[in-house]
Amino acid sequence: MADNQQLYAVPGMLALLAEPHGWWTSTDGGRTFRRSPGPAEPARWQATRGRFQLIEATGKVGRWTGTKLRPLPAQPPLPALNTVLQADGRTISSDGSEYGGPVVAAGAGEDGKPYAAISLDEGRSWQQTPVPAPDGAVGVLRVVFVGGEPWLVGERPDRVGFPALWRQAGLSWELVRAEGHPATGQVVPLGAGIVAVLSPRGAGALVDGRYVDLPWPLTGEHFLRLLPDDTLFAAGPEGVLLGTGHFGDRTWTSIIIETQ
């Protein structure tokens, strides 16, 4: 018996953590699993987090080599780091060199202000990018890429207040404002400047600087995220809802999980 079990899923892999016995990972949809004893994440699972990751012990940005997470010689010039993420695609530098997509690092400082930096040469050098101050303090700053479109999501220190949002504008960030948004809630960028919102009022969206209600069958008790195929995944107390379609026009399917 395990004291704690957690199942994780990413495209192409399942991972089960069963404390204190270790990890089990599967790359064939759960037909077979490989065990990795101990609390440390197995290499095959850690590799799914991307080429660039934060090293928890030091708070620095590291590059995954296939077997180890090594700190980059050049670190983002930021007072705090909460997240680092690389976009898909390729980048051509000014000297004609070709690299992977841009890497964005971001964090909220002890002063509650947001900070971000970008690398166009896979972490060899960094440029700090201005982030306009929002109304109120930011506790955690996350990077989100949707269809290659970079966003910053600033969670409030109480993790309840309505988050601050920015879209990338060249080598700076544009604060996204929305008239009439709820005082609390969670946000999920959908691309094309549209952001899904869940709050005690139900579902809504930020569109062209305004908040609008949406007739989705969701409540403030759901946890919403966007899957890699652009499906919206909403987990609630009574099951899961999947929203397929584009932006605000979604068809919702209910999945009921029964336990015996």
Side-chain angles (χ1 to χ4, degrees):
M1 295 291 291
D3 296 332
N4 178 40
Q5 297 188 62
Q6 299 181 54
L7 181 65
Y8 305 94
V10 296
M13 185 174 295
L14 297 172
L16 173 66
L17 170 61
E19 298 176 328
H21 306 295
W23 290 78
W24 280 260
T25 52
S26 172
T27 56
D28 57 10
R31 288 185 290 273
T32 61
F33 282 84
R34 179 191 299 177
R35 184 190 176 197
S36 302
E41 293 183 357
R44 67 194 319 213
W45 172 248
Q46 191 166 6
T48 66
R49 296 177 178 265
R51 294 181 60 201
F52 297 92
Q53 305 175 28
L54 287 185
I55 303 173
E56 293 184 5
T58 63
K60 294 184 176 182
V61 175
R63 184 198 300 268
W64 180 251
T65 67
T67 57
K68 188 176 181 179
L69 192 58
R70 297 185 180 277
L72 295 177
Q75 291 290 317
L78 304 177
L81 272 176
N82 300 136
T83 180
V84 60
L85 196 63
Q86 184 178 28
D88 295 332
R90 309 296 294 177
T91 298
I92 306 298
S93 68
S94 58
D95 64 0
S97 301
E98 185 175 356
Y99 300 99
V103 185
V104 178
E110 294 182 359
D111 54 5
K113 295 180 179 179
Y115 300 90
I118 188 170
S119 173
L120 301 179
D121 54 9
E122 298 189 332
R124 292 171 176 82
S125 63
W126 295 87
Q127 180 174 344
Q128 187 166 352
T129 51
V131 184
D135 296 329
V138 173
V140 174
L141 190 61
R142 297 187 289 109
V143 181
V144 178
F145 280 100
V146 182
E149 183 180 64
W151 291 77
L152 296 179
V153 178
E155 304 290 351
R156 302 302 184 175
D158 61 4
R159 303 306 292 266
V160 175
F162 195 82
L165 284 161
W166 296 263
R167 293 177 67 185
Q168 191 177 38
L171 290 179
S172 62
W173 298 89
E174 177 185 2
L175 185 63
V176 176
R177 300 188 182 278
E179 297 180 6
H181 69 70
T184 62
Q186 55 180 297
V187 297
V188 178
L190 302 180
I194 300 175
V195 180
V197 177
L198 275 190
S199 74
R201 289 167 52 176
L206 306 182
V207 183
D208 295 330
R210 298 182 60 189
Y211 174 83
V212 295
D213 290 314
L214 291 176
W216 292 351
L218 306 180
T219 70
E221 294 184 341
H222 285 92
F223 176 77
L224 188 67
R225 63 190 180 97
L226 187 67
L227 300 182
D229 65 353
D230 292 332
T231 298
L232 280 172
F233 178 98
E238 299 180 357
V240 171
L241 289 167
L242 298 178
T244 56
H246 298 286
F247 306 119
D249 185 16
R250 299 271 170 169
T251 299
W252 292 90
T253 301
S254 177
I255 300 176
I256 306 299
I257 302 174
E258 296 183 352
T259 59
Q260 297 181 349

